Amino acid sequence: MFRIIIALSVVFVIGSVSNAQSGEKSIRWYTFEEAVKLSKEQPRKIFIDVYTGWCGWCKKMDATTFKDPAVIELANKYFYSVKFDAETRDSIYFDNRYFIYSPEKRSNELASALLNGKMSYPTTVYLNEDFSMLSPVPGYLTSDVLSKILKYYGENFHKQISWEEFSKVN
């Protein structure tokens, strides 16, 4: 019995070291409310994946783009990342008001606010540490494009140069 415990302990330690060396395997996703709370405690930008359950391109981003090691590293390093279902019927309290589901628009009011009323899925949204909008980016993004955007906002290049200039050199 003692040998089994020792053997399992060795396997566990080796597995732990291997996982630590290979980096994280997925983006740490938070609810919108969790991301806001965390950012108030320890300021960081917020990256939001606005999706719907029926969106094929959203599912493709989940299966490809969000699995890319560079995207995972940048998202986890610089952002509190949020997966936000645009059609959620949950009420969300933010900025001293409740955002509710709108049957007329078939979406949550927060999705409409984040997307400036342009309901296109998927759309990634980037918020500053003070929760002001940096930019919504509509459409399916490959991992190389999303990595570039995450770096642009995460490393504060947006404060120094335009996206067009950044894109030319990166």
Side-chain angles (χ1 to χ4, degrees), residues 104-120:
E104 303 82 39
K105 295 182 181 179
R106 293 183 301 194
S107 63
N108 190 288
E109 294 170 337
L110 181 59
S112 185
L114 291 169
L115 304 182
N116 297 321
K118 297 177 180 137
M119 309 310 282
S120 173

Side-chain angles (χ1 to χ4, degrees), residues 64-156:
T64 59
T65 306
F66 295 143
K67 302 276 190 226
D68 183 88
V71 169
I72 293 167
E73 181 182 349
L74 290 164
N76 289 344
K77 182 175 182 179
Y78 295 116
F79 298 88
Y80 294 116
S81 300
V82 173
K83 285 199 76 56
F84 185 71
D85 181 354
E87 297 176 333
T88 185
R89 293 176 184 263
D90 296 338
S91 295
I92 297 159
Y93 187 76
F94 173 66
D95 202 23
N96 296 317
R97 72 172 269 211
Y98 281 98
F99 292 85
I100 61 171
Y101 179 78
S102 168
E104 303 82 39
K105 295 182 181 179
R106 293 183 301 194
S107 63
N108 190 288
E109 294 170 337
L110 181 59
S112 185
L114 291 169
L115 304 182
N116 297 321
K118 297 177 180 137
M119 309 310 282
S120 173
Y121 313 109
T123 293
T124 54
V125 178
Y126 308 86
L127 303 180
N128 232 335
E129 293 86 349
D130 65 359
F131 313 115
S132 60
M133 177 75 69
L134 291 170
S135 179
V137 179
Y140 171 80
L141 300 173
T142 60
S143 56
D144 59 327
V145 172
L146 182 56
S147 292
K148 193 181 289 191
I149 296 168
L150 292 172
K151 183 175 182 180
Y152 179 69
Y153 288 120
E155 296 182 7
N156 291 319

Side-chain angles (χ1 to χ4, degrees), residues 29-45:
W29 295 108
Y30 300 95
T31 65
F32 186 79
E33 294 92 335
E34 288 170 335
V36 168
K37 183 177 185 241
L38 286 167
S39 191
K40 284 180 180 177
E41 294 168 1
Q42 195 169 13
R44 192 185 284 187
K45 292 174 189 70

Side-chain angles (χ1 to χ4, degrees), residues 155-167:
E155 296 182 7
N156 291 319
F157 284 101
H158 67 285
K159 293 180 178 181
Q160 304 157 19
I161 60 175
S162 71
W163 170 251
E164 291 75 20
E165 293 173 279
F166 180 80
S167 294

